[in-house]
């Protein structure tokens, strides 16, 4: 079996698992469903993790054997700002840390609609400030995030830059949601093949997250429209079968236009945030290996 055939077989199994239950209705049910599918494969037995209070936000440390405690991957989970959790992304975060050879800190940022913008951004800054107070140097911190978490990582870099503070070493973004104006062409082109993200679904959640008085083209909401001059190196990973493909490709162009080191990986057949299911997807594991190589090439 070729690598492409294996990828197709594995992603078909994942699609079947995702389709095994109807799309949930209501915030509690949606959150429970994402936690359920995110924990379909458990965390490896050799991972040590513990809860921690990062100022105003709760978090979770994790460390794999042999990891460097002086280096940290600060990770923001996806879930379109309304769902997702430390629990749903624990396998992804812990294996990312293992591959990169460093500690990880995942945070349980507040979610909409109970806590609309900018609550999540305040929590991200609290987590960053916590790491700095712990004596971790910014050059030894990598930011990571998928979907809305990728949005949050970019926004944190912008906030730090605007404040004149040292920036993280790099940012690793998986299937980032960067344009809440929903202008990307892939939202229509990939509508029929993306099992997770659909335009109407995004619109509903964006309305829950963004206050009605705010313009969604504001770079604080849609980081696609940020000024990226001076940003650290960025790795963008996206699947070819996802509705947010255009959010990633246009981001890579915008970052490159600002003369920032940016690397774009488009993974054939992969769906939204596929590394979450790395235990059952070879391409999920390969994506984490690639991300670790990128982070370590920057954080020397």
């Amino acid at each position: 079996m070729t690598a492409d055939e294996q990828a197709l077989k594995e992603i078909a199994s994942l699609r079947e698992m995702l389709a095994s239950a109807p799309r949930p209705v209501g915030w509690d049910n949606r959150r429970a469903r994402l936690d359920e599918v995110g924990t379909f494969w458990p965390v490896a037995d050799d991972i040590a993790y513990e809860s921690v209070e990062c100022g105003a936000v709760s978090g979770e440390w994790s460390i794999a054997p042999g990891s460097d405690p002086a280096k940290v991957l600060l990770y923001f989970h996806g879930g379109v700002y309304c769902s997702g959790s430390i629990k749903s992304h624990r396998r992804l975060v812990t294996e990312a840390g293992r591959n990169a050879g460093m500690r990880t800190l995942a945070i349980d940022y507040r979610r909409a609609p109970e806590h609309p913008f900018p609550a999540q951004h305040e929590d991200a800054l609290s987590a960053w400030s916590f790491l700095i107070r712990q004596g971790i140097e910014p050059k030894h911190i990598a930011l990571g995030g998928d979907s809305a978490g990728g949005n949050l990582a970019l926004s944190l870099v912008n906030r730090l830059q605007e404040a004149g503070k040292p920036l993280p070493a790099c940012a690793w973004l998986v299937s980032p949601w960067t344009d809440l104006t929903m202008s990307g062409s892939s939202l229509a082109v990939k509508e029929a093949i993306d099992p997770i993200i659909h335009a109407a679904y995004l619109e509903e959640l964006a309305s829950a997250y963004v206050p009605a008085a705010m313009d969604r083209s504001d770079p604080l909401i849609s980081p696609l429209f940020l000024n990226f001059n001076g940003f650290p190196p960025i790795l963008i990973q996206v699947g070819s079968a996802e509705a947010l493909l255009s959010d990633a490709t246009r981001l890579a162009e915008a970052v490159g236009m600002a003369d920032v080191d940016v690397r774009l990986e488009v993974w054939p057949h992969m769906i939204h945030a596929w590394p979450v299911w790395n235990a059952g997807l070879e391409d999920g594991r390969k994506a984490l290996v690639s991300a670790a190589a990128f982070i370590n090439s920057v954080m020397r």
Side-chain angles (χ1 to χ4, degrees):
M1 183 181 295
T2 67
D4 193 62
E5 290 171 337
Q6 181 67 24
L8 283 169
K9 179 180 179 180
E10 290 180 347
I11 202 66
S13 295
L14 177 56
R15 285 177 174 274
E16 183 178 350
M17 186 266 284
L18 292 172
S20 63
R23 187 177 287 271
V25 176
W27 301 118
D28 290 344
N29 290 332
R30 287 172 174 174
R31 291 165 180 169
R33 176 60 175 163
L34 185 50
D35 282 353
E36 177 187 342
V37 298
T39 55
F40 187 82
W41 286 282
V43 175
D45 291 339
D46 62 347
I47 297 290
Y49 49 92
E50 63 175 331
S51 298
V52 61
E53 292 303 316
C54 309
V57 63
S58 298
E60 182 176 271
W61 284 115
S62 73
I63 188 166
S67 295
D68 184 348
K71 298 179 179 179
V72 176
L73 170 63
L74 174 58
Y75 196 87
F76 306 118
H77 68 75
V80 206
Y81 281 127
C82 296
S83 59
S85 67
I86 289 174
K87 180 180 179 182
S88 66
H89 284 65
R90 189 175 278 143
R91 173 84 194 196
L92 166 60
V93 174
T94 55
E95 290 305 308
R98 181 199 303 280
N99 279 276
M102 62 185 64
R103 286 193 294 170
T104 64
L105 178 64
I107 68 164
D108 193 21
Y109 60 81
R110 288 170 289 174
R111 299 175 296 191
E114 298 93 334
H115 304 283
F117 174 90
Q120 301 77 12
H121 302 263
E122 293 167 353
D123 290 348
L125 185 58
S126 289
W128 174 268
S129 300
F130 166 78
L131 288 178
I132 300 304
R133 291 196 303 273
Q134 299 301 304
I136 307 297
E137 297 183 69
K139 66 180 181 180
H140 289 158
I141 303 173
L143 300 185
D146 64 285
S147 193
N151 181 311
L152 197 52
L154 290 171
S155 297
L156 176 59
V157 175
N158 178 65
R159 176 173 275 196
L160 293 171
Q161 187 180 59
E162 289 287 306
K165 296 183 178 181
L167 303 182
C170 59
W172 162 47
L173 314 176
V174 179
S175 306
W177 188 28
T178 64
D179 177 16
L180 275 70
T181 71
M182 317 296 184
S183 64
S185 61
S186 59
L187 279 172
V189 174
K190 300 293 183 176
E191 172 82 12
I193 63 171
D194 189 325
I196 298 175
I197 299 296
H198 303 284
Y201 173 68
L202 280 185
E203 179 59 36
E204 177 189 359
L205 300 187
S207 296
Y209 163 63
V210 183
M214 286 202 70
D215 181 354
R216 291 190 196 169
S217 66
D218 187 320
L220 297 175
I221 297 293
S222 296
L224 175 63
F225 307 117
L226 283 171
N227 178 353
F228 293 103
N229 290 318
F231 266 51
I234 297 174
L235 170 65
I236 306 165
Q237 296 178 318
V238 65
S240 69
E242 59 173 300
L244 290 182
L245 177 59
S246 295
D247 280 42
T249 57
R250 289 180 298 154
L251 174 65
E253 180 181 13
V255 174
M257 291 287 283
D259 294 317
V260 172
D261 179 0
V262 59
R263 307 174 199 185
L264 172 67
E265 298 178 357
V266 181
W267 289 71
H269 316 301
M270 293 299 106
I271 65 173
H272 188 67
W274 76 99
V276 167
W277 299 283
N278 60 82
L281 281 178
E282 178 67 20
D283 276 9
R285 296 189 290 277
K286 288 180 178 178
L288 297 184
V289 171
S290 180
F294 163 76
I295 291 170
N296 287 320
S297 72
V298 174
M299 196 186 296
R300 294 177 178 173

